[in-house]
Amino acid sequence: MSPTDPTDPTDSTDRDAASAPGALLRVRGLRKSFGPNQVLQSVDLAVGRGHVLALIGPSGSGKTTILRCLNGLELADGGTIDVAAEVSLDFGTPPSKKQLAALRDRSAMVFQHYNLFPHKTVLENVLEGPVVVQRRPKAEVEAEALALLDRVGLSAKKDSYPFELSGGQQQRVGIVRALALRPQLLLFDEPTSSLDPELVGDILRLIKELAVEGWSMVIVTHELEFAREVATEVAFVDGGRIVEHGDPKQMLRNPKEERTRQFLHRLLFPF
Amino acid sequence: MNQSAWELFWTSLGPIVHGAIAGTIPLALASFAIGITLALGLALMRLSRRRWVSGIARVYISIVRGTPLLVQLFVIFYGLPSLGILIDPWPSAVVAFSLNVGGYAAEVIRAAILSVPKGQWEAAYMIGMSHRRALTRIILPQAARVSVPPLSNTFISLVKDTSLASLILVTELFREAQQVAAFSQEFMLLYLEAALVYWVICLGLSSIQSVLEKRLDRYVAH
Ligand SMILES: Nc1ncnc2c1ncn2[C@@H]1O[C@H](COP(=O)(O)OP(=O)(O)OP(=O)(O)O)[C@@H](O)[C@H]1O
Ligand SMILES: [Mg+2]
């Protein structure tokens, strides 16, 4: 189990890969408004192959909206999104359904509230995309899905319904559902923030393993320690802009911008 | 009750039950099946982003819900012939009841679709589904679960409402009772007997409803 296009993880020390021409994901000038409320001002970001971008920032700053635009769940008003050499969208003119579907095909999202299909079993949740949508052979996909479920310790639950699982188990199914789609890019939206504290570690460890294996990902998180250890790059989002981005070890300890400093301080000393 | 009243009760039970089996129940089933199909279409039209599409559905639903069922039935059976459209009693009744159920059930189905959390649409899109596929494979199965109780009530109401078809000469439960009553002049007995048979049918339907709800509940926590 590795991304369709695995890269040599040894080059992960190359911090400039994200801005190099070969970046997997490149976003420029992304804008999005809801009515009069301009939620994304002009977002630029890039993710290299096998890299992990952590998005941090205050509530309402637009982090979820960025992920939703990347997955085509939200239609940006302007700007461009390029994924590898295959997808290149300019939102200056509304993209066609086909272009949007192509964008969506490249990435898979893990939701804050899991969003598993409650009327389908664990295994059916995982198979739905690859078998029904991607039309891959069922036997092959099922073997792969069972291996993934086994890996996250849930093979015994394959015939259970989501309501029979704990939050941590549901989120692991959510991650397996995303992996089974064989995306080039994994998107995580606060994957641990609806979990009981003692379950958070399991999920973060799993995500870290995926990062080490070379999956490319964008992850919205408030877990600074996790970002420091796992992310290749961290970006601070505020008021619909990337205010500051850089190496997680440096930026989280010694941010340049005052707003970043304030945010990190609040996160470390909530009261 | 005296001896002859009992006798009349038992002998009239035959035609009344026959009216239920050959008239009331098939009439209700056929109208419900057609009506629900219509309702699903209307519900989807109501949810359409195209103004005129949802507008048409809105006006239709408003008319059906804002006019008496008996009047709808009379328009179709007694009114249409003056436009040269002659429909037999049975099909007239099926048409009227279907159109009526369509209007009422459309709002139930629309509400059920809207009750499915937005995250379900997003997860469906995320795995690459089109709108249509998300609707049929992810949203409608969950909406169906939500709409079983209210639609069961719609069906039970429909069973009782089919008694109105006696007024356009459809041979069903109540018309059979009326005919025996007119012949025997035992109005109280026969109308109470008809009421009893309706009640028994509705009790049966209620228990089917609760079995159905339990089965559909299997993936929902309590
Ligand atoms: N569908 C929508 N319609 C209208 N406004 C929206 C919509 N989605 C998001 N917003 C608004 O956009 C802003 C950014 O929302 P977003 O969910 O992206 O923030 P966030 O950074 O993910 O916040 P949080 O940390 O609380 O999850 C908020 O002010 C929110 O109210
Ligand atoms: Mg968010």
Side-chain angles (χ1 to χ4, degrees), chain A residues 34 37 39 58-65 74 190 222, chain B residues 118:
Chain A
F34 294 107
N37 182 12
V39 171
S59 183
S61 58
K63 306 178 298 294
T64 297
T65 306
E74 210 71 77
E190 300 193 36
H222 293 299
Chain B
K118 245 183 101 212

